[in-house]
Amino acid sequence: MSKEHQKYLKKRKIIDILIRIIQIIIVLIIIAIWQYAADKNYINTFISSSPKNILKTIISLYKNKTLFSHIWITLYEVIISFTIGEIIGITTAAFLWRFNFIYKILDPYLTILNSMPKVSLGPIIIILAGASTKSIIIMALFISVIITTINTHQAFKETDQNKIRLMQSFKATKSQIFFKLILPSNYNNLINTAKVNIGLVFIGVTMGEFLVSKAGIGYLIMYGSQVFDLNLVMTGIILLITLAALMHYIITFIEKNIEFKT
Amino acid sequence: MNILKIKNLKKTYHTKESEFLAVDNFSFNLKEGEFVAIVGPSGCGKSTILSILCGLDKPSKGQIIYNKKLDFGYMLQSDNLFDWLNVYKNCILGLEIKKRKNKKYVEKLLKTYGLWEFKDTYPRNLSGGMRQRVSLIRTLATNPDILLLDEPFSALDYQTRLAVSEDVYKIIKKENKSAIMVTHDIGEAISMADRIIVLTDKPSTIKNIYEINLINKSTPIENRKDKKFSYYYDLLWKDIDCHV
Ligand SMILES: Nc1ncnc2c1ncn2[C@@H]1O[C@H](COP(=O)(O)OP(=O)(O)OP(=O)(O)O)[C@@H](O)[C@H]1O
Ligand SMILES: [Mg+2]
């Protein structure tokens, strides 16, 4: 490696680190201002809480041994819903890609279902499936599966026609075309759809926990608002943000480190 | 012996907005071991003809008669390499689809075309010429009876183009394969083909078919030095009316 190239790499690395540091500083500044404003009574801590209060709430949740159980319950529901959502979404998309005629028939229904506010189905789901984890997962699936299907199918459909013709010139079967071309060529699209999916699943699970009101971070937020403990509400929101960020990073990590192998 | 008889081929493309007559009244017979070149104005329907021959598109009218079950090797106009597969994996794509095991031939071709050291490279790191050679190897790998080559050398620089066409020609002749090649390069057509079909513009119909009878028929590079080469060149040049 030449000296010049080393210099170039070093410069890039320094810029990357600098960006990270600034990002962290911004968060710290926000927290500091928030705390400062709370200490000086510029803001009403009863409504907007404060970093210290949030920390105290987390510690007390930890002490009465409910912190991790709530986090775990939400995480569990998110992971299950996400996984089932991906499986159903991709399978349905593959099916619709294979049978375009059926897709054309179903297209308007999918569009309508997609634009419907799915949260409105909540009460019905709870009546049908009971006030349980099952309802929460169903809720999350309703919110995420349709858009996952639509986006994935769209990506499948836009696969380069010439590459499909190439496969056909080798007399490839539909399933060979799917597994050797459609799936691997849409790897990036699948990752992007997964990112959208994870966001929607979080919305679904939180809504579900609001409605079912038994456990999980959504429940903490709901409970907090009912007893006017806004510290608890803020804590719940912060926990959700942290979890969502974590899941996002996991997917990005997978994207960067796992190449598609056929 | 004819291995392929094409009778009154016609192709109309139908879209929502309009219909478009791409090929009309196209008839010719391909002899076993024969090399035919197709030249014609751009957009006239050359690729369409190749797609119909290997069964990717259906003719609107007309007949194609095969004298036995033929295995076509179609090298499409664009290289269509898969970005997520390395050079070697791209080359054996057809073999994998056809569930064939023999990879020796591919390895030999990779070595002949100077791509062996790049076998683990991904297409995004290849030059246009290298990509086209990979695409060619992928086509040859399945050992087809008839090669359909759609402007196979267009991305190569002149030197490489001569060398690769020389190689391809030798492979085709050695294995006694038949080939139909679309090209824009008159010189290439004369130096390689036994017959040249000149097409008219939209729709493609056959304007003329030239039998190329050089004095000393040899390999493409030698053929370019033939005494009758320039005679055919002038003939074709005048026949292909290009309005610039
Ligand atoms: N699937 C299709 N639907 C509608 N029209 C098409 C389709 N494929 C090709 N065409 C039209 O048919 C005509 C012939 O196309 P084709 O690709 O066969 O031409 P070509 O001679 O190979 O052109 P080029 O020299 O640019 O490669 C073009 O005008 C094109 O617009
Ligand atoms: Mg073409």
Side-chain angles (χ1 to χ4, degrees):
Chain A
M1 206 187 292
S2 74
K3 264 229 162 74
E4 233 177 335
H5 192 64
Q6 276 176 353
K7 227 168 148 185
Y8 166 79
L9 288 181
K10 207 170 163 192
K11 201 171 149 193
R12 277 193 65 157
K13 205 167 178 187
I14 289 174
I15 290 176
D16 284 349
I17 293 173
L18 196 66
I19 289 173
R20 264 297 126 79
I21 292 174
I22 295 174
Q23 284 169 338
I24 293 169
I25 289 175
I26 289 174
V27 173
L28 292 177
I29 289 177
I30 291 173
I31 293 174
I33 293 176
W34 189 2
Q35 187 59 49
Y36 181 78
D39 289 344
K40 294 278 175 192
N41 281 326
Y42 294 149
I43 53 171
N44 184 350
T45 49
F46 179 73
I47 290 170
S48 59
S49 188
S50 75
K52 268 186 195 156
N53 288 348
I54 290 172
L55 200 64
K56 272 185 209 149
T57 314
I58 291 179
I59 291 170
S60 80
L61 281 174
Y62 176 74
K63 279 192 175 141
N64 65 30
K65 298 199 167 46
T66 51
L67 178 66
F68 286 113
S69 80
H70 285 301
I71 292 179
W72 168 244
I73 284 167
T74 300
L75 200 59
Y76 169 80
E77 287 159 351
V78 165
I79 291 171
I80 296 288
S81 314
F82 172 77
T83 313
I84 299 178
E86 283 290 301
I87 293 170
I88 297 180
I90 294 174
T91 320
T92 316
F95 176 82
L96 294 178
W97 170 80
R98 173 68 182 78
F99 302 101
N100 196 38
F101 188 69
I102 297 179
Y103 164 71
K104 285 195 170 152
I105 295 172
L106 295 182
D107 184 30
Y109 302 112
L110 284 174
T111 313
I112 292 167
L113 275 179
N114 186 40
S115 51
M116 181 186 76
K118 273 134 281 191
V119 181
S120 61
L121 293 173
I124 301 174
I125 295 172
I126 289 180
I127 290 168
L128 289 178
S132 63
T133 311
K134 206 161 88 190
S135 286
I136 296 172
I137 292 172
I138 293 174
M139 181 88 219
L141 284 177
F142 259 109
I143 291 183
S144 71
V145 154
I146 293 159
I147 192 71
T148 305
T149 307
I150 291 177
N151 286 348
T152 312
H153 174 259
Q154 186 65 22
F156 286 174
K157 226 172 62 170
E158 279 166 12
T159 307
D160 187 355
Q161 280 302 317
N162 277 319
K163 293 204 165 69
I164 295 181
R165 288 167 77 80
L166 171 80
M167 294 293 286
Q168 287 169 337
S169 82
F170 287 124
K171 302 270 180 292
T173 61
K174 278 270 183 183
S175 91
Q176 281 178 323
I177 294 178
F178 184 76
F179 287 106
K180 281 187 186 295
L181 170 63
I182 305 286
L183 215 48
S185 72
N186 282 296
Y187 180 65
N188 286 334
N189 290 325
L190 290 175
I191 292 283
N192 288 335
T193 324
K195 284 179 187 167
V196 174
N197 189 9
I198 201 85
L200 292 173
V201 160
F202 263 102
I203 296 175
V205 164
T206 313
M207 290 311 295
E209 287 177 348
F210 280 2
L211 292 171
V212 170
S213 256
K214 271 191 176 152
I217 302 172
Y219 159 76
L220 283 185
I221 295 173
M222 197 58 168
Y223 177 76
S225 75
Q226 277 165 358
V227 299
F228 286 103
D229 181 356
L230 273 299
N231 288 332
L232 192 56
V233 174
M234 277 295 181
T235 304
I237 293 171
I238 298 287
L239 287 177
L240 276 182
I241 292 175
T242 316
L243 277 191
L246 189 76
M247 297 298 279
H248 192 84
Y249 273 108
I250 292 175
I251 294 180
T252 314
F253 179 82
I254 292 174
E255 179 180 16
K256 280 197 183 132
N257 292 284
I258 297 176
E259 292 257 344
F260 201 99
K261 300 265 191 303
T262 44
Chain B
M1 196 183 67
N2 293 325
I3 56 170
L4 196 62
K5 288 183 189 168
I6 304 162
K7 280 188 192 158
N8 295 320
L9 204 68
K10 178 178 175 179
K11 177 71 187 178
T12 318
Y13 282 115
H14 296 275
T15 57
K16 223 187 224 168
E17 294 78 28
S18 63
E19 57 177 343
F20 179 84
L21 181 58
V23 180
D24 199 14
N25 209 3
F26 183 88
S27 310
F28 97 107
N29 298 336
L30 183 71
K31 295 188 196 79
E32 183 147 30
E34 191 183 23
F35 195 119
V36 171
I38 298 181
V39 294
S42 124
C44 73
K46 303 180 294 293
S47 299
T48 303
I49 292 170
L50 294 192
S51 312
I52 292 175
L53 289 185
C54 79
L56 286 186
D57 280 326
K58 286 203 171 58
S60 312
K61 257 197 197 126
Q63 256 185 320
I64 304 167
I65 303 162
Y66 310 93
N67 81 335
K68 58 175 180 185
K69 200 177 165 296
L70 291 172
D71 196 5
F72 285 93
Y74 186 11
M75 181 173 167
L76 284 105
Q77 197 164 359
S78 45
D79 62 52
N80 291 306
L81 297 185
F82 290 180
D83 313 324
W84 58 93
L85 299 179
N86 64 24
V87 165
Y88 181 74
K89 287 272 172 97
N90 263 295
C91 288
I92 60 168
L93 182 71
L95 294 175
E96 286 198 328
I97 292 170
K98 291 172 186 285
K99 301 205 167 64
R100 295 203 202 138
K101 291 269 147 35
N102 187 13
K103 314 268 161 71
K104 280 278 177 309
Y105 186 47
V106 171
E107 286 164 21
K108 199 185 119 211
L109 288 171
L110 279 168
K111 282 172 188 156
T112 326
Y113 289 116
L115 283 167
W116 183 246
E117 28 183 325
F118 294 97
K119 67 179 173 18
D120 299 319
T121 310
Y122 284 83
R124 62 177 167 276
N125 299 324
L126 299 179
S127 70
M130 288 161 104
R131 294 178 68 105
Q132 213 161 31
R133 275 179 275 160
V134 175
S135 158
L136 183 64
I137 294 174
R138 184 182 56 194
T139 311
L140 293 171
T142 55
N143 206 6
D145 308 308
I146 299 188
L147 284 163
L148 304 174
L149 309 170
D150 201 342
E151 301 187 27
F153 313 126
S154 57
L156 306 177
D157 62 88
Y158 192 68
Q159 292 286 335
T160 322
R161 190 174 181 134
L162 287 184
V164 174
S165 54
E166 182 90 355
D167 281 336
V168 171
Y169 182 86
K170 283 177 184 161
I171 291 173
I172 291 171
K173 287 295 165 189
K174 199 179 88 200
E175 316 224 351
N176 198 28
K177 292 188 195 309
S178 316
I180 302 176
M181 176 178 80
V182 168
T183 176
H184 275 124
D185 185 331
I186 301 175
E188 192 169 273
I190 300 169
S191 68
M192 293 179 82
D194 302 308
R195 275 193 296 163
I196 299 176
I197 300 177
V198 179
L199 297 177
T200 60
D201 202 358
K202 295 177 184 112
S204 283
T205 56
I206 294 179
K207 192 174 186 185
N208 266 312
I209 299 185
Y210 293 92
E211 192 95 32
I212 305 297
N213 293 311
L214 297 173
I215 295 168
N216 278 314
K217 208 168 177 90
S218 171
T219 60
I221 292 179
E222 291 304 312
N223 285 345
R224 282 173 189 264
K225 300 173 192 155
D226 196 278
K227 284 203 183 68
K228 282 182 85 180
F229 183 85
S230 58
Y231 159 75
Y232 284 115
Y233 200 96
D234 281 343
L235 206 63
L236 276 141
W237 178 257
K238 286 187 187 117
D239 204 16
I240 303 168
D241 37 21
C242 43
H243 312 281
V244 184

